[in-house]
Amino acid sequence: MEDLIIGSHVSYNNTEGLVGSVKEALSYNSNTFMFYTGAPQNTIRSSIDMELTHLAHKAMEESGIDIKNVIVHAPYIINLANNKDEEKLEFSINFLKQELKRTEMLGINKVVLHPGSHVGLGSDAGIKNIINALNIVLEEKEGPIICLETMAGKGTEVGTTFEEIKEIIDGIKNQNRIMVCLDTCHINDAGYDLSDFDKVLEEFDAVIGLEKLGCIHINDSKNAVGAHKDRHENLGFGEIGFDKLIKVIYHDKLKGIPKILETPYISMEEGGKDRTYPPYKQEIEMIRVKKFNPNLANDVRNYFK
Ligand code: FE
Ligand code: FE
Ligand code: ZN
């Protein structure tokens, strides 16, 4: 098995289904990928084409992408933390249940979820609401695992500290279906200093347990440690910096855990219009050779020209 499991966010569309996502991932020289099964900001979803799904599974087998490393990201408008609007909460719960079914149909085992925002109720109430909702969503013994994402602490986000994440995990009945997604931009913004990543990882292990780490999002951050902002930056161009991110990516204790880039697209003017292009092929190249590329933006533009 390859030690480095690296990929990026890719698109998923209805015409090509999972086949399109696999193709995109391979074009970046990835050996895994993450996608939303529809638009991230809404819950409109169409049915899954099983023929395309089987074709995609074949393509993955042939190209060395192990499907157990592939990740679905739940739409970020799902909010399990706020129960002020009961109808809305119920909608979130039902939608997430369906999303897990879709994920299962695709043969994928991990779904990343933002814990939610308490919107003024306070973290304790938010955590309680999340636990109650997740126990409904995860009531069946078997099925895809939900990876709770560590959040930056923007607004009233819950899950900004390892302790909050641990509290949620402890409340979940089916322990085999709950894990964590560590996001480097988010933990930086939440106040964890990646200058001493060993210490951060030790803390994660002490509070949550490394065996619960199911996925890692690799992003630089536009902001300083503790800024509570959540604005991703391309690798090496932000406040975390390339060397610290490389240390995370190649850390001995994190071998075999899927690592996913969610860095911003590069903009390019085309016929008077501003279009954006994915930087992932070039960023993954930087990662593989462990060398920062200061000309990333230009290389991306030239590649897509
Ligand atoms: Fe996320
Ligand atoms: Fe993330
Ligand atoms: Zn983010």
Side-chain angles (χ1 to χ4, degrees), residues 149 183 186 217 219 232 262:
E149 183 162 357
D183 185 311
H186 295 179
H217 286 169
N219 303 303
H232 301 186
E262 306 173 292

Side-chain angles (χ1 to χ4, degrees), residues 4 15 40 50 60 99 114 121 140 153 172 188 210-211 246 253-254 269 271 298 300:
L4 177 64
T15 27
M50 288 317 287
M60 281 188 245
E99 191 73 350
H114 294 178
L121 298 175
E140 283 168 44
I172 306 304
N188 171 81
L210 265 182
E211 70 285 353
I246 281 291
K253 290 181 173 168
L254 306 180
E269 217 202 79
N298 273 331
V300 171

Side-chain angles (χ1 to χ4, degrees), residues 9-15 34-49 71-78 91-92 94-103 105-106 111-113:
H9 165 252
V10 298
S11 57
Y12 175 94
N13 63 59
N14 291 321
T15 27
M34 179 181 82
F35 62 102
Y36 292 89
T37 68
Q41 72 279 15
N42 70 38
T43 49
I44 300 163
R45 297 291 184 269
S46 48
S47 64
I48 284 164
D49 185 324
I71 316 277
V72 163
H73 198 308
Y76 45 70
I77 58 153
I78 289 181
F91 178 82
S92 281
N94 287 329
F95 184 81
L96 187 54
K97 264 189 172 177
Q98 285 171 43
E99 191 73 350
L100 289 179
K101 286 228 169 75
R102 295 164 59 79
T103 303
M105 280 176 76
L106 290 165
V111 177
V112 168
L113 174 75

Side-chain angles (χ1 to χ4, degrees), residues 133-176:
L134 281 179
N135 277 326
I136 298 169
V137 172
L138 299 171
E139 67 193 344
E140 283 168 44
K141 274 250 167 304
E142 302 301 325
I145 295 166
I146 285 184
C147 296
L148 293 171
E149 183 162 357
T150 56
M151 301 311 288
K154 193 179 58 186
T156 63
E157 278 172 350
V158 180
T160 311
T161 63
F162 297 159
E163 284 78 7
E164 283 183 357
I165 297 272
K166 168 67 172 168
E167 247 189 90
I168 299 169
I169 289 176
D170 277 348
I172 306 304
K173 288 195 191 96
N174 284 323
Q175 278 295 310
N176 58 314

Side-chain angles (χ1 to χ4, degrees), residues 21-87:
S21 310
V22 173
K23 273 193 212 159
E24 188 181 339
L26 291 174
S27 79
Y28 303 148
N29 197 15
S30 298
N31 55 12
T32 188
F33 58 95
M34 179 181 82
F35 62 102
Y36 292 89
T37 68
Q41 72 279 15
N42 70 38
T43 49
I44 300 163
R45 297 291 184 269
S46 48
S47 64
I48 284 164
D49 185 324
M50 288 317 287
E51 219 164 293
L52 285 173
T53 305
H54 289 310
L55 277 177
H57 289 171
K58 246 186 149 181
M60 281 188 245
E61 259 167 51
E62 280 165 11
S63 54
I65 294 180
D66 187 340
I67 196 163
K68 78 172 195 330
N69 294 321
V70 175
I71 316 277
V72 163
H73 198 308
Y76 45 70
I77 58 153
I78 289 181
N79 186 8
L80 304 181
N82 183 8
N83 66 346
K84 271 195 265 188
D85 185 339
E86 269 181 56
E87 227 169 276

